Amino acid sequence: MTDTTTPSTGDDAMDRVLAHADKRTEVRTFGAAQALQDESTAAHSTTDGNQWDLEDRHALRRVGGLSTELEDVTEVEYRQLRLENVVLVGVYPQGAQEDAENSLRELAALAETAGAVVLDGVLQRRPHPDAATYLGRGKAQELKDIVAAVGADTVIADTELAPSQRRALEDVVKVKVIDRTTVILDIFSQHAKSREGKAQVELAQLEYLLPRLRGWGDSMSRQAGGQVGAGGAGMGSRGPGETKIELDRRRIRTKMALLRRQIRDYTPAREAKRAERKRNTIPSVAIAGYTNAGKSSLLNALTSAGVLVENALFATLDATVRRSETSDGRVYTITDTVGFVRNLPHQLVEAFRSTLEEVGDADVVLHVVDGSHPDPAGQLQTVRDVMGDVGVRDMPEIVVFNKADLIPDDERLVLRGLEPRAHFVSSRSGEGIVELRAAIEEALPQPAVEVRAVVPYDRGDLVAAIHETGMLLSVEHQEDGTAVHARVSERLAAELAPFAR
């Protein structure tokens, strides 16, 4: 007779898997990251165009709440890919608690963008980070207990850790420890698409990795010399040899040199494009600003460019140039550049210097700020500091507070006091876009030479060039040609000289 009270082995395994998943879903998460816009207000506007790149990026997504750990060998067939669970940690001095909390929430947004679930966050007030473990000894033990309680597998520090600090903290908490720089580099690695962007990210990663190589066991052994060596060279070749970690460092330096040459090789093509725009006297506008402030959305609203838009940090890395026209027909370009973030790794500033040159060569900079962010003044200062590092601080600037549909009236008064001449726009609702276009037209440099000419009807190309690159003040169609009064570039003025009135 069969005992119906005994469950089957397969049912036991399934129950254990479901119980394990339920236990994970009960863990308290850190909370919404302030650097990311609320999903209910982050819907794409009609000006964003077909977001095919966004669909490709979301084609393969990891699933939360599923485990890869095996409690029993019978559960092997139920394994699924799971998100990395992380705990954040930071240190701040006396009087800097608000800045530290904003920075930690921004780190939470970075971790979410990189593909992790933030379970908890810890802040410690102390004058200086501990030289050994970043946190004090007691707080490190408390962090270990928190990590064990919430089931985290990674700790992220809100700074750039020294190699010794990372290893010492790992020894205490018994899980992987990474820092803010590692997370940012990981996001850049995921989102880089162009060959130049990928080379820039790889160079920054290798620069960060080089002083952090770790060696033990075979990594510290030396290459054998003498007749026991691979070449069997015999006398004259014996010596201490080269350790494996030294070999790795040499290979990294060789790869870094190769990447620098590759990035330099991209420069002529980029400079040729800029020279063509300058030769045709086409003014340029560069969009700069904090990450996730809505730069790509604003570019789409101004030009209907269809550039990828995503509610994530560093969604777009490669500079995108689009053509636009003023109300009187003058052509100019708008360039979307990589976003900034506080404590941006210096390796990335150096690696993306060529991309940031687009800002330096622009005639006008649109400085986009997330008006709904808790610390817009910090965003302004961070972007201006980075622009100063690359030598483009003294540029004509139009400050734009984006996401105006999320800014209450009393907060607008505060922002107006911060930047009296700023523009409030909403890429989502279209508020302020017309006024911003007018401000851009006013800020664009005017052609240098004023001309009056009667252009023959068989030279319509000159009239078209005036419309495209000059400023047409008046036009009259006469019997012998088109009488124009315009401001044009020196090159076009020379072509119009034979027809001067």
Side-chain angles (χ1 to χ4, degrees), residues 249-281:
R249 289 193 181 115
R250 180 161 55 81
R251 286 175 173 169
I252 288 177
R253 291 191 185 99
T254 302
K255 181 64 173 178
M256 287 169 59
L258 176 62
L259 289 170
R260 289 193 179 99
R261 285 197 299 271
Q262 289 179 355
I263 293 173
R264 283 198 300 269
D265 290 342
Y266 296 127
T267 303
R270 193 168 50 249
E271 290 180 346
K273 294 177 182 178
R274 292 178 190 154
E276 182 67 15
R277 293 198 292 265
K278 291 179 180 179
R279 188 179 68 84
N280 293 321
T281 63

Side-chain angles (χ1 to χ4, degrees), residues 182-416:
T182 305
V183 177
I184 295 176
L185 290 172
D186 185 81
I187 296 172
F188 272 59
S189 179
Q190 292 180 40
H191 293 177
K193 291 182 61 178
S194 67
R195 287 184 299 174
E196 183 176 9
K198 291 178 180 178
Q200 290 169 331
V201 172
E202 186 177 358
L203 176 61
Q205 288 177 319
L206 292 177
E207 287 181 345
Y208 177 79
L209 174 64
L210 184 59
R212 290 169 174 82
L213 284 179
R214 300 171 66 177
W216 58 84
D218 290 342
S219 296
M220 299 305 293
S221 64
R222 295 185 180 275
Q223 306 295 317
Q227 291 182 344
V228 298
M235 291 183 294
S237 66
R238 296 183 178 88
E242 185 178 36
T243 62
K244 179 65 166 56
I245 195 169
E246 289 171 345
L247 183 63
D248 292 339
R249 289 193 181 115
R250 180 161 55 81
R251 286 175 173 169
I252 288 177
R253 291 191 185 99
T254 302
K255 181 64 173 178
M256 287 169 59
L258 176 62
L259 289 170
R260 289 193 179 99
R261 285 197 299 271
Q262 289 179 355
I263 293 173
R264 283 198 300 269
D265 290 342
Y266 296 127
T267 303
R270 193 168 50 249
E271 290 180 346
K273 294 177 182 178
R274 292 178 190 154
E276 182 67 15
R277 293 198 292 265
K278 291 179 180 179
R279 188 179 68 84
N280 293 321
T281 63
I282 299 178
S284 61
V285 177
I287 302 178
Y290 214 76
T291 182
N292 208 45
K295 298 183 297 300
S296 298
S297 298
L298 185 60
L299 177 65
N300 289 338
L302 290 171
T303 66
S304 300
V307 176
L308 181 143
V309 173
E310 185 179 13
N311 183 28
L313 275 60
F314 301 114
T316 52
L317 299 182
D318 303 311
T320 303
V321 182
R322 291 294 183 268
R323 180 182 185 273
S324 187
E325 291 185 5
T326 63
S327 57
D328 57 2
R330 285 183 294 156
V331 174
Y332 64 96
T333 61
I334 303 182
T335 304
D336 181 20
T337 60
V338 65
F340 303 97
V341 72
R342 72 177 74 196
N343 301 324
L344 188 67
H346 69 277
Q347 296 97 337
L348 284 175
V349 175
E350 290 299 321
F352 278 80
R353 184 176 294 272
S354 58
T355 302
L356 298 176
E357 288 174 1
E358 295 289 346
V359 180
D361 289 340
D363 296 297
V364 180
V365 174
L366 281 187
H367 186 165
V368 182
V369 183
D370 183 357
S372 64
H373 192 271
D375 186 21
Q379 287 196 2
L380 277 166
Q381 188 60 43
T382 297
V383 174
R384 286 170 175 166
D385 288 344
V386 177
M387 290 173 65
D389 291 340
V390 296
V392 293
R393 187 185 296 274
D394 300 325
M395 296 289 298
E397 181 186 59
I398 299 176
V399 177
V400 179
F401 287 111
N402 198 13
K403 306 182 184 179
D405 53 318
L406 304 178
I407 308 175
D409 293 338
D410 54 346
E411 186 64 26
R412 290 197 183 204
L413 293 176
V414 176
L415 295 176
R416 183 67 70 186

Side-chain angles (χ1 to χ4, degrees), residues 79-233:
R79 286 183 297 176
Q80 297 288 341
L81 182 66
R82 70 170 173 80
L83 296 168
E84 202 165 358
N85 297 318
V86 302
V87 172
L88 312 181
V89 59
V91 171
Y92 68 96
Q94 180 75 29
Q97 180 176 350
E98 184 176 355
D99 289 342
E101 290 177 354
N102 285 333
S103 181
L104 204 66
R105 289 190 177 95
E106 186 174 272
L107 180 62
L110 289 167
E112 291 173 11
T113 303
V117 175
V118 180
L119 302 181
D120 211 338
V122 178
L123 284 174
Q124 182 186 25
R125 189 186 68 198
R126 56 182 298 147
H128 304 286
D130 183 66
T133 59
Y134 179 60
L135 301 171
R137 180 177 301 176
K139 186 61 70 174
Q141 289 295 332
E142 181 181 336
L143 177 63
K144 176 183 178 181
D145 297 337
I146 293 174
V147 167
V150 301
D153 43 41
T154 304
V155 171
I156 305 178
D158 191 19
T159 187
E160 183 170 324
L161 294 177
S164 59
Q165 288 176 318
R166 184 169 65 88
R167 288 195 297 268
L169 191 56
E170 280 182 349
D171 291 340
V172 175
V173 299
K174 305 302 181 183
V175 296
K176 180 176 67 175
V177 176
I178 60 177
D179 56 19
R180 185 188 186 97
T181 301
T182 305
V183 177
I184 295 176
L185 290 172
D186 185 81
I187 296 172
F188 272 59
S189 179
Q190 292 180 40
H191 293 177
K193 291 182 61 178
S194 67
R195 287 184 299 174
E196 183 176 9
K198 291 178 180 178
Q200 290 169 331
V201 172
E202 186 177 358
L203 176 61
Q205 288 177 319
L206 292 177
E207 287 181 345
Y208 177 79
L209 174 64
L210 184 59
R212 290 169 174 82
L213 284 179
R214 300 171 66 177
W216 58 84
D218 290 342
S219 296
M220 299 305 293
S221 64
R222 295 185 180 275
Q223 306 295 317
Q227 291 182 344
V228 298

